[in-house]
Amino acid sequence: MRLFILLILLAFPIAEIYLLIAFDEYGWWLLVYLVAITYLGLQLIKGEKQMMSAKMMQSIQAGGNPFKTIMGSARNLVAGFLLVIPGVITDIIAVILLLIPI
């Protein structure tokens, strides 16, 4: 089981590097894409950090479930972190995370 987890952890960066090399034919467009997605990821993290406490207070005052609010904020922070990491696979995972309703 440990070997399987180790193989997955090693295969992920190799797959990311392979895809970046495969998309190298797009040249500057790939660089523009990576810079834009990194900027959007940083803005998502920054905005979520600023709004987290306000969302939590609003949820508590409305009598809602604060755990749901925490999970939504954590999901957005993880998606922002995945967008900051350069790569296509992490971007796809981040978009899937953002599309999942909580």
Side-chain angles (χ1 to χ4, degrees):
M1 186 66 177
R2 289 183 186 185
L3 181 63
F4 182 69
I5 293 172
L6 181 65
L7 287 175
I8 289 174
L9 289 175
L10 289 176
F12 185 73
I14 292 171
E16 285 280 7
I17 292 169
Y18 175 76
L19 279 176
L20 286 177
I21 291 171
F23 288 139
D24 188 41
E25 64 190 38
Y26 295 106
W28 286 101
W29 290 109
L30 179 64
L31 179 64
V32 169
Y33 165 76
L34 290 175
V35 170
I37 291 296
T38 301
Y39 177 75
L40 291 175
L42 289 172
Q43 291 301 314
L44 181 64
I45 292 171
K46 182 180 174 184
E48 195 59 42
K49 281 175 34 181
Q50 291 175 350
M51 295 297 294
M52 188 172 173
S53 61
K55 286 181 186 177
M56 182 65 96
M57 292 303 291
Q58 184 179 12
S59 173
I60 291 172
Q61 288 175 352
N65 189 359
F67 180 73
K68 195 173 185 180
T69 305
I70 291 172
M71 290 304 293
S73 292
R75 178 194 65 179
N76 290 344
L77 287 173
V78 169
F81 177 72
L82 287 173
L83 287 173
V84 170
I85 298 172
V88 177
I89 297 173
T90 55
D91 295 344
I92 292 170
I93 294 170
V95 168
I96 290 171
L97 270 176
L98 289 172
L99 291 176
I100 296 173
I102 290 187

